[in-house]
Amino acid sequence: MHQPNHIFDSLLITEYIAGNKKAITVLVTRWHPIFCRQANWYIKDKAVAQDVAQECWVIILKKIGSLKDTQKFAPWALTIVHRRAIDQIRKNKKTETHTSNEMIEQAVDTSTSQTEAIQSTQGKLQLINGGIAQLPLKHRIVIELFYKNQLSLDQIASVLDVSKGTVKSRLFYAREALKGLLKNKNYEN
């Protein structure tokens, strides 16, 4: 975990609370892309994910004064993003329906892109991301928070409101499932 980043975030929050409005601009610049990426991880729609991230900033700015330990900004803020993204998914499920033709087209596109993916390093990354996308949501979330956001197991447990043991278990099963998916993809091609 990059401690200097948390210390810098803490300093920015302290400055903002003390009245330095420019400090929040720096904090938003640092974290907004992460919030968008995290929301998009759940929602799979960049425009909606950006809206969710923006809504999260409204909540964060209202509640930032109540943050007791400013060095815990990352897990606290990512918890807000997590909850808002889940709320958006629930909202979308009520109004959204998929036709079988759309699902077949997606499967064909995925199959075609996987064949091309093995040919380059960037392609391998796409293959890994495709494998991750096939994991259950609870495993995808843990992978995202641990590897991309570099949160500790304790911080992930706090974000997801589960025990550290549950996080360890999910991370283990996510890795194993991903290994299996990638191994099968390599043999198919």
Side-chain angles (χ1 to χ4, degrees):
M1 189 52 85
H2 304 290
Q3 290 302 328
N5 291 337
H6 295 299
I7 293 169
F8 185 60
D9 292 340
S10 179
L11 177 64
L12 290 172
I13 293 166
T14 304
E15 286 289 316
Y16 173 71
I17 292 171
N20 181 354
K21 302 300 179 198
K22 290 182 180 180
I24 202 64
T25 304
V26 175
L27 191 68
V28 169
T29 301
R30 287 170 48 82
W31 281 96
H32 189 69
I34 295 168
F35 291 175
C36 289
R37 188 181 76 225
Q38 187 68 27
N40 191 44
W41 185 259
Y42 295 94
I43 299 168
K44 306 293 186 222
D45 182 332
K46 287 185 180 184
V48 176
Q50 289 175 344
D51 291 342
V52 168
Q54 190 67 34
E55 291 171 17
C56 291
W57 279 111
V58 172
I59 296 167
I60 289 168
L61 293 177
K62 284 181 183 177
K63 296 183 177 188
I64 202 162
S66 67
L67 183 61
K68 293 178 184 173
D69 184 354
T70 55
Q71 288 193 16
K72 293 186 178 179
F73 172 76
W76 176 75
L78 287 170
T79 300
I80 293 170
V81 174
H82 167 77
R83 290 181 179 156
R84 286 295 303 135
I86 295 297
D87 289 347
Q88 185 65 40
I89 290 170
R90 288 181 184 139
K91 180 179 170 184
N92 288 349
K93 281 186 179 180
K94 291 179 182 176
T95 60
E96 185 178 284
T97 59
H98 289 289
T99 65
S100 60
N101 288 340
E102 291 172 333
M103 291 168 58
I104 291 169
E105 287 174 16
Q106 271 184 327
V108 169
D109 290 343
T110 302
S111 175
T112 303
S113 67
Q114 287 175 349
T115 302
E116 297 167 357
I118 296 177
Q119 297 174 358
S120 70
T121 302
Q122 184 178 10
K124 289 178 184 177
L125 182 58
Q126 289 174 347
L127 184 62
I128 291 170
N129 285 333
I132 292 171
Q134 293 178 29
L135 296 174
L137 181 60
K138 65 183 180 181
H139 292 151
R140 289 193 321 254
I141 293 167
V142 173
I143 292 280
E144 171 81 9
L145 293 173
F146 187 76
Y147 289 106
K148 290 189 178 179
N149 292 332
Q150 298 180 347
L151 294 184
S152 70
L153 296 175
D154 288 327
Q155 290 172 324
I156 295 170
S158 174
V159 167
L160 299 179
D161 196 25
V162 297
S163 72
K164 183 177 177 180
T166 300
V167 172
K168 285 181 179 180
S169 174
R170 288 180 184 176
L171 191 56
F172 171 79
Y173 287 112
R175 289 175 183 150
E176 292 300 309
L178 188 56
K179 282 182 205 175
L181 286 170
L182 294 176
K183 189 175 183 179
N184 289 339
K185 294 300 177 195
N186 286 332
Y187 287 126
E188 289 176 6
N189 294 313

